[in-house]
Structures are given as C-alpha cells and as structure tokens.
Amino acid sequence: MPTALVTGASRGLGAAFAQRLARDGLDLVLVARDTVGLQRVASEAARRGVSVEVLAADLADATDRAAVERRVADPHRPVDLLVNNASFECGVDFRTAAAAPLQTEIDVNVTAVMMLTHAALPGMIERGQGWVINVASFAGYLSASGSAHSATKAWMLAFTDTVEASLSGTGVRMIALVPGRLRTGKHRDLEPVGTSLMWLDPAAVVDACLSDLARGRTVCTPGLLYGAVVRTLETPRRTLRTLARLAGHRRGYMRQDARGHELETPAGREQAP
C-alpha cells in the first residue's frame, strides 16, 4: 500500500489532504504540533481502513524536524507521496516584527520543506516513483507589503521549479499548489461554498491538486479568479521551466571524452571514455 506523509495535518488543508488520501487507500503518516487535532484527523482517516501513523513534531524545532526527516528517509517504510503543507505566518509587518517569529517562518516554510524534500527524493528516485506536493500560496506571486511570509512562499515556487526540472526521467514528480483564500476554521461559515470567487473549499483544492499532479503539471492554482491571474504571471516562468528541462536533458546525455569527443550517456550517469 502506498504511503503519504502530510505535514500540518491537524486541520485545514492538511486535514483535507489526509481525508482524500485515506479515501484513495493510501496509508498515512500525519505530522503536526497540535496533538489533539492530529489524533482527531487520524481517527477520521483510520475509519477508511488505512494505516495511520501519528508523528507529533514542531518543524521549527531542529530536533523534531530531524525526526521527521528520518521517517521520510526510512528505506524500510518508504514514503511515496510527501505533502509539504505545514506553514507559519508571523502576521506582522517585517519592520516591526520580532526576530523569533520571523525565524520560525523560515524554519517551517523554507528549511523544513527543503530538508524533508531532500530526505525523500533519494529513495523515490531509487524506486523510480514518487511525488512531492509543496503547498505554496497565491501570496507568493502577489505579496502583501512587508510580508516575509509571502517571500517564503515565493521561495517555495522557485524551489519547486528548480528541483522538478532536475527530475526528468526519474519517475518522480513535484508540483507547487497555489491556493488562495481557504474556507477553514472561522471562515468556514462565512457563506455557502461556491458563492464567492475569493473563497475556496479545501476538499476541492486537494482534488484539483491531485488531478494536476496526475496530469504532470508543475503548478496547480485552483479557482477561476486565482487561476486566471497566475496563468498570466506564469507565462515567462513556463518558458524558463521548459528551457531548464531542455538544458538538464542535454547535460545528462552529452559528455566529452579526454580527446574532446562527445559521448552519449544515460542522464545523470558518468561513463569512462
């Protein structure tokens, strides 16, 4: 049975991922700081008849983060799908914010995403199959003034582009999910689902992401309004993404021997002349 590891799984979009993946029959490893919420989501997912492992961890804490990295990289219990969903927002203008919450934004939104992905990819590549979902944000494209959180989400978009371009031919895929405003928590009862282009239902966002991942897309932007804006902003990025794939492909196949003659070799593998 394939296994998915979801961070930030105790509520909101993370909980929606857990429920959908359990419905699809994947075993789960659920990670979050909120142990009460984590157990609630785990219990609901387990009713689908899948195995659910709970890993309480604060990804801003280096020791906790290392424990999650070890679980992701465990060759005896492989993780087939990594969902980097956990996120932290300081919520204060950079000029007046304290240093500690700003560092937490970096630790959760950047360092954890980088390190968990780094832990997951070698095993996925060796097995010839795997998927990584990086939950970014519409704010990564159009950030609020003074928002360091938006900057971390912009990094996540660039990170996904960079790494995904290197995965051609490995059987491993990566996608950046770019949701707008989600109807979760206190926003859930603002208005009926579907009555506003600004508010998105978490379950529908997860469905759109998994559908785009299956289609081989690199970016998923659910919602008509958000999708229209991002399609416009993505035009130059799509061009650069294609060029990056082509450059990586050529680097993988064209080598030179000691006399300067080009050699055709499998991507990513060196051969002696």
Side-chain angles (χ1 to χ4, degrees):
M1 189 70 69
T3 296
L5 186 145
V6 183
T7 66
S10 61
R11 63 183 184 274
L13 196 57
F17 265 110
Q19 298 307 321
R20 165 62 196 272
L21 295 172
R23 190 169 73 245
D24 289 348
L26 277 73
D27 289 335
L28 299 174
V29 182
L30 303 181
V31 180
R33 292 182 302 166
D34 177 7
T35 55
V36 175
L38 202 55
Q39 290 292 348
R40 182 183 64 254
V41 173
S43 297
E44 293 172 358
R47 296 192 190 106
R48 301 282 184 179
V50 300
S51 171
V52 182
E53 177 184 347
V54 169
L55 184 53
D58 180 356
L59 293 178
D61 180 271
T63 301
D64 284 7
R65 190 168 59 243
V68 182
E69 289 174 39
R70 288 192 296 271
R71 177 61 186 89
V72 170
D74 189 341
H76 304 294
R77 298 180 296 164
V79 169
D80 305 283
L81 168 62
L82 170 63
V83 183
N84 285 312
N85 169 73
S87 183
F88 179 83
E89 183 172 5
C90 176
V92 179
D93 186 284
F94 180 81
R95 295 168 299 172
T96 57
L102 290 173
Q103 184 61 56
T104 298
E105 282 186 330
I106 297 296
D107 293 338
V108 176
N109 303 351
V110 175
T111 304
V113 172
M114 179 178 65
M115 297 307 294
L116 295 186
T117 303
H118 188 263
L121 286 182
M124 291 180 177
I125 292 171
E126 183 178 357
R127 295 187 296 272
Q129 180 173 282
W131 302 269
V132 178
I133 297 172
N134 293 325
V135 180
S137 171
F138 186 71
Y141 286 102
L142 296 174
S143 62
S145 176
S147 172
H149 174 264
S150 298
T152 65
K153 294 302 183 178
W155 175 89
M156 191 179 290
L157 292 169
F159 175 72
T160 303
D161 269 352
T162 301
V163 178
E164 203 279 336
S166 73
L167 296 175
S168 178
T170 66
V172 181
R173 294 306 316 273
M174 182 178 293
I175 190 171
L177 173 58
V178 187
R181 293 182 177 180
L182 294 171
R183 190 180 282 100
T184 60
K186 64 182 181 181
H187 305 299
R188 186 177 294 116
D189 300 323
L190 284 179
E191 54 189 333
V193 174
T195 60
S196 171
L197 295 177
M198 294 293 294
W199 293 94
L200 305 176
D201 176 58
V205 169
V206 170
D207 290 345
C209 178
L210 295 178
S211 178
D212 281 354
L213 181 63
R215 291 188 177 100
R217 294 176 177 170
T218 306
V219 177
C220 172
T221 310
L224 294 175
L225 176 61
Y226 298 110
V229 174
V230 169
R231 276 193 297 274
T232 301
L233 297 174
E234 270 287 310
T235 300
R237 295 171 69 101
R238 280 196 298 269
T239 302
L240 293 173
R241 196 177 295 129
T242 300
L243 292 174
R245 286 200 188 97
L246 291 174
H249 179 78
R250 180 166 180 81
R251 282 198 301 271
Y253 276 83
M254 304 307 296
R255 310 271 185 198
Q256 289 186 341
D257 63 17
R259 294 174 297 279
H261 299 136
E262 289 184 338
L263 298 171
E264 292 190 5
T265 64
R269 293 172 55 189
E270 299 283 355
Q271 288 185 354

